[in-house]
Amino acid sequence: MLITIPDVFSPDEVRALRAALDGADWEDGRQTAGVQSAQTKRNHQLPATCDVGRDLGQSILERLSQTPLFLSAALPLRILPPMFNRYETGEAFGVHVDNAIRSNPFNGEPLRTDLSMTLFLSEPDEYDGGELIVEDHYGPQTVKLPAGHMVLYPSTSLHEVRPVTRGARVSSFFWLQSMVRSDMQRSILFDLDQTIQTLADGLGADNDHVRRLTGIYHNMIRQWTEV
Ligand code: NI
């Protein structure tokens, strides 16, 4: 399931992030591609452990830790430090699947990639092309979000970034290991949690049925999580 998290950062906050990124030293994205994806990957990235990337990545993780919709959708166990990429005119990343295991560049800790994330840092009218296309159960989904919005999709999905034909597409991309490995189970929990929130808004969190449903949600979490 694809999930969009709107307004992770405001337009002013995106402008500050972009000012730091636009002055940074970018490198050829193929340096961090696997053997298979190096052939289809044409973009630029910030080095994984550079100061600018580390500081901005930290601010993204802090923001996500305070974003209830993200926490409900992802149920994160561990999140890799966010990375940053830039596609200029003629650059693209052909159809590929992300590596199942990645290691944290700062401490070497391994992580299973359950969810892939893209936080858009360019407005859609700044560039043509550059759509993220994700294959899911319902066929290919095209994603091109306003700056400051984010998409989560299962890391099992085939996906690509279409060629940019004008301007530049800047984004942050990263992965997480969820407490719930199954995309289906995670989707059910997300749906239930969002429904409980809606009911609680209408009926009050102290409504007996809302309380019972909340108990059911937590009991399902106990059954389905690995921590
Ligand atoms: Ni990818």
Side-chain angles (χ1 to χ4, degrees):
M1 182 172 64
L2 266 73
I3 297 167
T4 297
I5 314 287
D7 303 314
V8 177
F9 288 102
S10 70
D12 280 349
E13 290 172 325
V14 170
R15 264 189 288 281
L17 289 170
R18 278 293 298 279
L21 286 172
D22 290 347
D25 284 328
W26 295 81
E27 66 180 14
D28 190 324
R30 277 174 291 205
Q31 291 183 26
T32 57
V35 176
Q36 182 207 344
S37 58
Q39 295 165 18
T40 59
K41 184 178 185 186
R42 277 173 289 128
N43 68 3
H44 288 79
Q45 283 179 194
L46 282 194
T49 56
C50 75
D51 290 348
V52 173
R54 189 196 56 212
D55 292 349
L56 297 186
Q58 194 57 41
S59 66
I60 292 172
L61 293 184
E62 278 168 24
R63 177 59 53 88
L64 290 178
S65 73
Q66 303 155 15
T67 305
L69 191 62
F70 165 78
L71 297 172
S72 174
L75 296 167
L77 177 62
R78 281 197 291 276
I79 310 181
L80 278 182
M83 297 175 68
F84 298 87
N85 59 19
R86 178 182 178 92
Y87 294 81
E88 293 179 9
T89 302
E91 296 186 324
F93 196 164
V95 179
H96 66 280
V97 66
D98 294 337
N99 287 347
I101 305 290
R102 301 192 72 97
S103 59
N104 184 315
F106 293 96
N107 60 22
E109 185 180 49
L111 173 148
R112 184 187 68 228
T113 56
D114 292 326
L115 283 170
S116 302
M117 287 153 287
T118 298
L119 171 67
F120 288 78
L121 295 171
S122 298
E123 293 295 351
D125 62 5
E126 287 179 56
Y127 60 101
D128 291 331
E131 298 89 354
L132 172 67
I133 312 275
V134 181
E135 283 284 343
D136 82 354
H137 307 302
Y138 308 106
Q141 308 287 314
T142 300
V143 185
K144 187 169 182 173
L145 299 176
H149 295 214
M150 188 171 91
V151 64
L152 281 69
Y153 56 96
S155 301
T156 49
S157 317
L158 283 167
H159 57 279
E160 68 178 306
V161 176
R162 300 290 300 150
V164 169
T165 57
R166 177 189 64 87
R169 173 199 194 269
V170 178
S171 69
S172 176
F173 64 102
F174 49 114
W175 294 269
L176 66 80
Q177 179 170 337
S178 175
M179 290 185 284
V180 177
R181 183 182 198 146
S182 154
D183 185 54
M184 173 63 83
Q185 290 178 339
R186 214 183 307 111
S187 299
I188 292 169
L189 289 168
F190 179 56
D191 195 16
L192 177 58
D193 188 38
Q194 295 306 299
T195 304
I196 292 170
Q197 297 302 324
T198 305
L199 285 175
D201 287 345
L203 301 171
D206 57 351
N207 176 278
D208 189 44
H209 298 292
V210 171
R211 205 161 26 220
R212 281 174 175 278
L213 269 180
T214 304
I216 291 168
Y217 172 78
H218 284 284
N219 288 335
M220 289 171 76
I221 291 275
R222 286 187 184 89
Q223 288 294 317
W224 286 350
T225 49
E226 345 152 6
V227 292

